[in-house]
Amino acid sequence: MGVIEKVRQPRVAARSQVEVELPLDQIVMGDCIAAMKALPDKSVDMVFADPPYNLQLGGELFRPDGSHVDAVTDDWDKFDTFAAYDAFTRAWLAEAHRILKDDGTIWVIGSYHNIFRVGTAVQDLGYWILNDIVWRKANPMPNFRGTRFTNAHETLIWASKGEKAKYTFNYRSMKTLNDELQMRSDWEFPICGGQERLKKGGHKVHPTQKPEALLYRVMLACTKPGDVVLDPFFGTGTTGAVAKRLGRRWIGIERELSYIDAAAERIAAALPLDESALATMQSPRAQPKVAFGVLVENGYLAPGAMLTDAKRRFQAMVRADGSLASVCGASGSIHKLGASLQGAPACNGWTFWHHETDGTLQPIDTLRQTYLLATQP
């Protein structure tokens, strides 16, 4: 991993014949718009953008005890007018749209200062908004002046290239991550702090460093191992560090040398996860078929084990052939018996039936997923 001091130039001039070596796992030093212009069409799988918020802060901010608040006062966050900010936003979003693959998606994070203007540009440029995600901060900075509500959240826009675009969404991984419940659009994470917060001389290296947990969820949701993730506002490299851990390729663009130095050091120290740990739950449509009897054959559930539904209304015993026998005498497959006992036309036995582990009930689908992780290449 290294730093490219200037943007790589195309080998030939014509756009249709451009051959550009993607600066994979590299930080490109320079303006994000110029850097993206040097990349070929449809070359990245995801863009994660944390652009300047244009905070329009008026003067210094101090805590009640008189100590100074290390807020965003850098020149890169200052724009003369809203029109200037809008022009900048549209320019980088247009380049991002061009370099995204047809099945790629973009994530943009912002605050109330800029996210609505960004959202308008996103829609005007042909993207299709899939979700707006609320990042609720578990430990937000107080409103020291006491003149407004405490600003305790930021908003992420997730969008595809167009209304009809196919895109990656690892629904099953998100559900597994959320204890078998559908992942909602309100996420709670603490703001970046502790050992994760990069500091130099007692001061934050970057005023708006994002927590790695946030990027972890974003990448796990809509990329696959080996996908290329571009961050045009790379900062101290959160995107690169998480991409390296998750087995994704990354490209960072950053113009501030102090941030680049911190990011390069941070990413070099990041340890990628073992291949087996990278295997994630697959959607039911994509995952290989597994019969319940295969789990019995392989010892994941022994004949004679008792299963129950989540509310412990029904009980059934596992038989040697993978069928179930209820205590009331009925028998059948995990699906047919589940439907029969409920008087329902159908039943997903994988989620209806539960086994007890360490005093807690878990759907038998967790055993199927464990089996898949252990047996799939």
Side-chain angles (χ1 to χ4, degrees), residues 11 36 83 95 109 112 114 154 156 165 172 199 226 276 300 346:
R11 294 174 182 168
M36 284 192 285
E95 285 303 315
I109 186 170
Y112 67 89
N114 72 321
E154 294 186 28
L156 297 95
R172 184 65 199 170
K199 291 188 177 183
S276 61
Y300 286 80

Side-chain angles (χ1 to χ4, degrees), residues 13-84:
R15 169 69 72 183
S16 60
Q17 301 174 5
V18 167
E19 291 184 13
V20 180
E21 181 184 348
L22 284 177
L24 295 176
D25 306 328
Q26 302 284 329
I27 306 173
V28 179
M29 184 177 181
D31 173 75
C32 69
I33 298 170
M36 284 192 285
K37 282 182 181 295
L39 299 178
D41 296 352
K42 302 178 182 181
S43 56
V44 303
D45 298 284
M46 191 188 90
V47 173
F48 180 86
D50 184 8
Y53 286 9
N54 193 23
L55 294 179
Q56 314 119 45
L57 293 178
E60 299 290 311
L61 186 60
F62 297 89
R63 298 181 178 87
D65 63 4
S67 59
H68 181 260
V69 176
D70 196 3
V72 183
T73 56
D74 305 83
D75 288 340
W76 51 257
D77 193 59
K78 297 175 182 177
F79 294 82
D80 292 334
T81 63
F82 283 130

Side-chain angles (χ1 to χ4, degrees), residues 204-251:
K204 300 173 185 175
V205 174
H206 195 292
T208 62
Q209 180 182 336
K210 296 302 183 289
E212 290 191 6
L214 181 68
L215 270 296
Y216 185 99
R217 185 173 295 182
V218 165
M219 284 188 214
L220 200 64
C222 61
T223 63
K224 302 180 290 294
D227 280 357
V228 178
V229 179
L230 173 95
D231 186 335
F233 307 96
F234 201 58
T236 53
T238 303
T239 299
V242 175
K244 182 178 178 182
R245 285 174 54 208
L246 290 177
R248 276 65 169 166
R249 309 304 297 271
W250 57 271
I251 302 170

